[in-house]
């Protein structure tokens, strides 16, 4: 069955060298990356601060890759328009930050971009049931959000599987993306559990050979 499924790889620039961002993005693009994952952190919802729409606006003209923005910020609904104008293709919000999640998802979709929802490791998969029919993407966190280079939480494999079953029941078109601690050792398990898109930060950008590391992750899923 897996032979018919194609894995998408989304390198996360969180682990890239920001003084050399243009070159590093071009390396992953040439190496066959499918999306570029952009981690937006506000120092409130998560302990770390990264970058916002201005940096995305600067990246937009230098790559053809779909820009996949993961908002780890409080009140994300206040910034949808700015991220849209900055040029994102996919905007994903955390269920933990959205009391009016249905409204927020509708607002993202009103800009004709893809809308995603994501869950922290401790947030139950069942919270997705009511919103899945409306989303294009479900992002499953396999580390606690905030930092690159953390260890994959093995227990999350069961959750990916559960979410994959919920997806099959309620919205077959939604993609499942998995984020945190993915490397060549676990990528196949994650893919087999039901992931369509693999985010990888450290295991790609902290490697000596970025292009090779990306290709190795893809290859490891078909072994
Ligand atoms: C964590 C971020 C991830 C991070 C993944 O808060 O959401 O996207 O960049 O990095 P690695 O692959 O190093 O765990
Ligand atoms: Zn992320």
């Amino acid at each position: 069955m897996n032979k018919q499924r194609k894995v998408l790889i989304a390198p996360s620039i969180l682990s890239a060298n920001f003084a050399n961002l243009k070159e590093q993005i071009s390396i992953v693009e040439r190496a066959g990356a499918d999306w570029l994952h952009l981690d937006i952190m506000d120092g409130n919802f998560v302990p770390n601060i990264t970058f916002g729409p201005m940096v995305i606006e600067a990246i937009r003209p230098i790559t053809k890759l779909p820009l996949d923005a993961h908002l780890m910020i409080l009140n994300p609904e206040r910034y949808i328009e700015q991220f849209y104008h900055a040029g994102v293709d996919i905007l994903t919000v955390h269920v933990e930050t959205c009391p009016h999640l249905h409204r927020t998802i509708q607002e993202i979709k009103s800009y004709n971009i893809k809308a995603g929802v994501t869950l922290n490791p401790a947030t139950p998969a069942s919270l997705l049931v009511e919103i899945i029919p409306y989303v294009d993407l479900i992002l499953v966190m396999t580390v606690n959000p905030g930092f690159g280079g953390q260890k994959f939480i093995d227990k999350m494999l069961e959750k990916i599987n559960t979410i994959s079953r919920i997806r099959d029941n309620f919205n077959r078109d939604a993609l499942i993306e998995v984020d945190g601690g993915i490397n060549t050792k676990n990528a196949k398990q994650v893919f087999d559990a039901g992931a369509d898109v693999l985010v990888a930060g450290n295991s790609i950008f902290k490697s000596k050979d970025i292009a090779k590391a990306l290709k190795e992750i893809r290859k490891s899923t078909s072994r």
Side-chain angles (χ1 to χ4, degrees):
M1 179 194 169
N2 279 344
K3 281 186 186 123
Q4 290 139 14
R5 292 174 61 223
K6 183 186 176 291
V7 68
L8 302 178
I9 310 284
S12 164
I13 63 165
L14 184 63
S15 302
N17 177 348
F18 277 73
N20 233 339
L21 199 51
K22 187 175 181 181
E23 190 196 319
Q24 299 214 329
I25 290 173
S26 134
I27 294 173
V28 291
E29 185 162 10
R30 279 185 274 125
D34 297 285
W35 298 354
L36 202 61
H37 187 81
L38 307 172
D39 288 302
I40 316 301
M41 305 186 188
D42 67 353
N44 283 295
F45 175 59
V46 291
N48 200 4
I49 302 179
T50 56
F51 54 88
M54 273 175 58
V55 171
I56 298 181
E57 212 178 315
I59 291 174
R60 181 65 290 176
I62 64 165
T63 177
K64 290 196 171 63
L65 292 175
L67 299 182
D68 168 36
H70 172 195
L71 299 189
M72 287 160 273
I73 62 176
L74 296 179
N75 306 307
E77 65 284 349
R78 292 187 192 161
Y79 303 95
I80 296 169
E81 190 177 355
Q82 277 190 56
F83 281 104
Y84 164 72
H85 287 299
V88 302
D89 299 278
I90 304 154
L91 208 49
T92 295
V93 293
H94 270 264
V95 301
E96 299 86 357
T97 63
C98 294
H100 306 291
L101 184 58
H102 179 270
R103 180 186 291 150
T104 304
I105 293 296
Q106 297 306 324
E107 198 183 330
I108 296 172
K109 286 165 74 173
S110 75
Y111 290 99
N112 269 323
I113 56 176
K114 307 252 183 257
V117 278
T118 180
L119 303 172
N120 281 340
T123 305
S126 57
L127 273 193
L128 291 169
V129 170
E130 301 295 339
I131 199 68
I132 273 193
Y134 304 96
V135 301
D136 302 295
L137 177 84
I138 304 135
L139 177 63
V140 187
M141 292 308 299
T142 44
V143 296
N144 288 290
F147 302 95
Q150 301 182 79
K151 193 185 172 308
F152 182 90
I153 304 170
D154 290 323
K155 190 87 184 137
M156 292 298 116
L157 283 170
E158 286 165 38
K159 189 176 179 185
I160 298 166
N161 214 281
T162 306
I163 290 175
S164 154
R165 276 185 277 117
I166 298 175
R167 185 268 310 269
D168 290 349
N169 282 333
F170 295 97
N171 180 359
R172 286 181 167 276
D173 294 330
L175 292 175
I176 296 178
E177 181 176 27
V178 177
D179 186 4
I182 294 182
N183 54 41
T184 47
K185 293 196 181 75
N186 57 26
K188 183 171 166 50
Q189 281 175 296
V190 174
F191 181 60
D192 288 346
D196 303 294
V197 189
L198 306 182
V199 175
N202 255 46
S203 63
I204 292 180
F205 285 107
K206 298 290 187 207
S207 300
K208 277 205 189 87
D209 187 335
I210 293 173
K212 188 170 165 215
L214 189 157
K215 289 175 189 164
E216 289 291 326
I217 292 175
R218 189 189 298 286
K219 215 161 65 186
S220 73
T221 63
S222 61
R223 265 176 211 140

